Amino acid sequence: MSTWDDGSRPETPKIGVLGWVRVAVRGGLLAVLLIVCFPILLLVRVPESLLFGLRRPITPWITQFVCISALYIMNLTRSVSGVAAENAGAFVANHSSWLDIFVLNASKRIYFVSKAEVSAWPGIGWLARGTGTLFINRDRREAKAQQKMFEDRLHAGHGLMFFPEGTSTDGRRVLPFKTTLFAAFLTNELKAELRLQPISIRYHAPVGQDPRFYGWWGDMDFGAGLIKVLAASPQGSVEVIYHPPIDAADFDNRKNLAAACELAVRTGFNEVAQSDL
């Protein structure tokens, strides 16, 4: 599994009595939210699948509601600039945290493309499978089958969300984009019709906390990160920037397409960083 790690770690904030109360209250509300909404999603998916096949006109609204509600429960403020394109088939963004899943789904009804091992992660894998995440192996022998999955999902109207960095970071940088998956957008079946929308995500740590507060990288434990976020008060914020869509047909190879997407994401990310200075 590919991970980024510079060897450093932020200090773990001390959690006082009120912090643990917030963990209990917010964690309990999140649990209730998932316990109620996830079974509803699975139940609705049965007739939805029979009536609409791969198309999912109903269940993405449930996922979006859960993500918006989760951010509200955590008290994480989300600001959005730019417009999420309705006619974009694919979206690409930098990846800082497990929170990206909530932040991006709250802003736009999408389906994530994830490495196959995530499907086996306790809890997260179960939720990802239920919400329609597309799992892929980084194996050239499976490239043709995966290409067919992309085409089927895109033709069904799914907006597919990619993290081209291939891993999450400390939230203070954008890593070079891996170009392999961009080849899938330049096939004869997709190139003429596909548009990609770059997205920049930038987290702002709570006042007085390490700037890397929301980052999740290397071997960092998910449970500890979740508790830290649930306990935080005041909470921080996150900015989501939608850049103008890019037509795949304007590019003759995957490297140039990846470079154009990376430039847009990196530029937006750095502009937000400059505003912090």
Side-chain angles (χ1 to χ4, degrees):
M1 181 174 69
S2 174
T3 59
W4 173 86
D5 198 340
D6 66 353
S8 67
R9 291 289 184 273
E11 289 187 16
T12 302
K14 293 182 179 179
I15 301 177
V17 174
L18 288 179
W20 284 111
V21 170
R22 285 188 290 270
V23 171
V25 172
R26 291 171 175 172
L29 290 173
L30 285 175
V32 170
L33 180 69
L34 293 174
I35 289 170
V36 172
C37 292
F38 193 62
I40 292 175
L41 184 149
L42 296 180
L43 287 172
V44 172
R45 182 62 192 131
V46 175
E48 184 184 49
S49 179
L50 292 173
L51 292 172
F52 302 103
L54 265 183
R55 292 193 300 122
R56 300 189 179 198
I58 303 170
T59 50
W61 290 92
I62 301 174
T63 302
Q64 188 174 38
F65 168 78
V66 169
C67 291
I68 291 173
S69 300
L71 294 177
Y72 179 79
I73 289 170
M74 288 185 281
N75 200 30
L76 181 66
T77 303
R78 172 179 56 96
S79 62
V80 179
S81 59
V83 178
E86 293 298 325
N87 59 348
F91 301 83
V92 295
N94 58 295
H95 189 20
S96 301
S97 169
W98 53 271
L99 284 165
D100 295 344
I101 297 170
F102 293 98
V103 170
L104 290 167
N105 255 320
S107 304
K108 171 73 177 176
R109 293 178 299 281
I110 52 176
Y111 298 91
F112 288 90
V113 177
S114 175
K115 49 197 174 188
E117 53 260 42
V118 173
S119 65
W121 290 2
I124 295 177
W126 183 54
L127 292 170
R129 289 194 300 273
T131 53
T133 297
L134 181 59
F135 296 105
I136 61 171
N137 287 307
R138 300 183 187 278
D139 188 334
R140 292 186 178 182
R141 293 170 297 181
E142 299 184 25
K144 189 171 254 187
Q146 291 172 359
Q147 175 65 38
K148 180 66 166 56
M149 286 193 293
F150 290 155
E151 292 172 6
D152 289 346
R153 297 286 288 266
L154 290 167
H155 287 148
H158 294 196
L160 298 181
M161 180 74 236
F162 295 80
F163 291 125
E165 293 166 296
T167 185
S168 55
T169 69
D170 60 359
R172 303 288 288 170
R173 69 201 72 227
V174 175
L175 300 178
F177 280 13
K178 298 181 184 299
T179 66
T180 304
L181 284 176
F182 285 89
F185 306 137
L186 296 176
T187 62
N188 293 332
E189 292 79 5
L190 292 178
K191 183 176 180 178
E193 59 185 279
L194 184 66
R195 307 186 83 202
L196 297 89
Q197 185 165 33
I199 306 170
S200 302
I201 309 171
R202 180 82 187 202
Y203 290 89
H204 303 280
V207 175
Q209 297 290 349
D210 190 295
R212 301 168 294 174
F213 184 84
Y214 293 111
W216 184 48
W217 71 94
D219 60 356
M220 293 176 68
D221 181 67
F222 168 72
L226 174 62
I227 290 173
K228 178 178 70 173
V229 172
L230 293 179
S233 180
Q235 191 65 270
S237 63
V238 58
E239 291 187 57
V240 182
I241 305 169
Y242 287 94
H243 302 287
I246 293 172
D247 292 317
D250 292 340
F251 298 85
D252 57 0
N253 63 69
R254 60 184 171 85
K255 291 185 178 181
N256 289 339
L257 178 57
C261 290
E262 181 182 336
L263 177 62
V265 171
R266 188 180 297 279
T267 299
F269 182 90
N270 289 337
E271 286 176 353
V272 175
Q274 287 297 318
S275 69
D276 287 341
L277 300 178

